[in-house]
Amino acid sequence: MGALFRIIWQIALLRQGPQALPASSALLWLALGSHWLIGVLLGLGTLPLEMAMLSALVGTLLMVALVHGLLLLHRRHSRAPQTLTALAACEILLGLFAIPVGVWFNMGGGLQDIAVLLSLALFGWNIAIAAHILRHALEVSPGMGFLFAVGYTLVAISLGGLFLPPAA
């Protein structure tokens, strides 16, 4: 298990690609379930439990659908298990960093400014990781990987927002 965590950390540091992970359906399901759970925990900072669960489910399903679509378009669908496992695992890792940042933000005061900066840094790191993973999975240039990652993120945020209640 330690070797798996090292690979995920190396992917998050942009040192290895998703191909370093085993193409395991059990690992994929574990990653997707954990991705949903981290999404629920993150959502509980601003949403009631039912909405946090729905929001996390939508986020996980959107990741699966968008990645499958990109891989199908590029005729690389066989890479779906490793690509999705890498994306989900890295988003879980970033989510573990984001949970305390969300708590600091909700505490208010001077911590809010620091929490906003840390949130932006995590958001940028997430884009960089997604670009790195998609570049490897789709066999495209780093620039194209970045464009796919930004597009993937914008579509996920836009579609995900359709399932949430309007802000009060």
Side-chain angles (χ1 to χ4, degrees):
M1 199 63 137
L4 182 62
F5 289 121
R6 279 190 294 281
I7 292 170
I8 293 166
W9 183 246
Q10 291 297 307
I11 293 170
L13 294 176
L14 316 180
R15 294 180 182 157
Q16 288 199 39
Q19 64 275 16
L21 290 169
S24 163
S25 59
L27 182 58
L28 172 60
W29 283 108
L30 177 64
L32 292 176
S34 299
H35 183 271
W36 172 80
L37 181 60
I38 288 292
V40 171
L41 293 174
L42 287 168
L44 286 175
T46 56
L47 299 170
L49 176 62
E50 296 81 16
M51 290 305 300
M53 292 171 67
L54 177 62
S55 175
L57 180 63
V58 168
T60 299
L61 292 176
L62 280 172
M63 178 184 65
V64 170
L66 293 171
V67 168
H68 272 290
L70 276 173
L71 292 170
L72 280 170
L73 284 172
H74 286 263
R75 293 181 169 79
R76 303 278 190 278
H77 193 261
S78 64
R79 298 176 183 185
Q82 290 165 300
T83 304
L84 285 167
T85 300
L87 273 172
C90 288
E91 287 188 10
I92 292 163
L93 180 65
L94 292 179
L96 292 174
F97 288 118
I99 290 171
V101 171
V103 170
W104 293 337
F105 183 81
N106 290 330
M107 290 174 71
L111 293 176
Q112 273 187 324
D113 295 337
I114 294 169
V116 168
L117 290 175
L118 289 173
S119 293
L120 288 172
L122 288 172
F123 183 73
W125 190 11
N126 191 35
I127 297 275
I129 291 169
H132 176 72
I133 291 170
L134 292 173
R135 172 181 76 92
H136 281 277
L138 300 171
E139 293 182 14
V140 295
S141 69
M144 285 302 296
F146 175 75
L147 290 176
F148 282 126
V150 169
Y152 155 78
T153 303
L154 291 175
V155 168
I157 289 170
S158 298
L159 291 178
L162 295 176
F163 295 91
L164 296 175

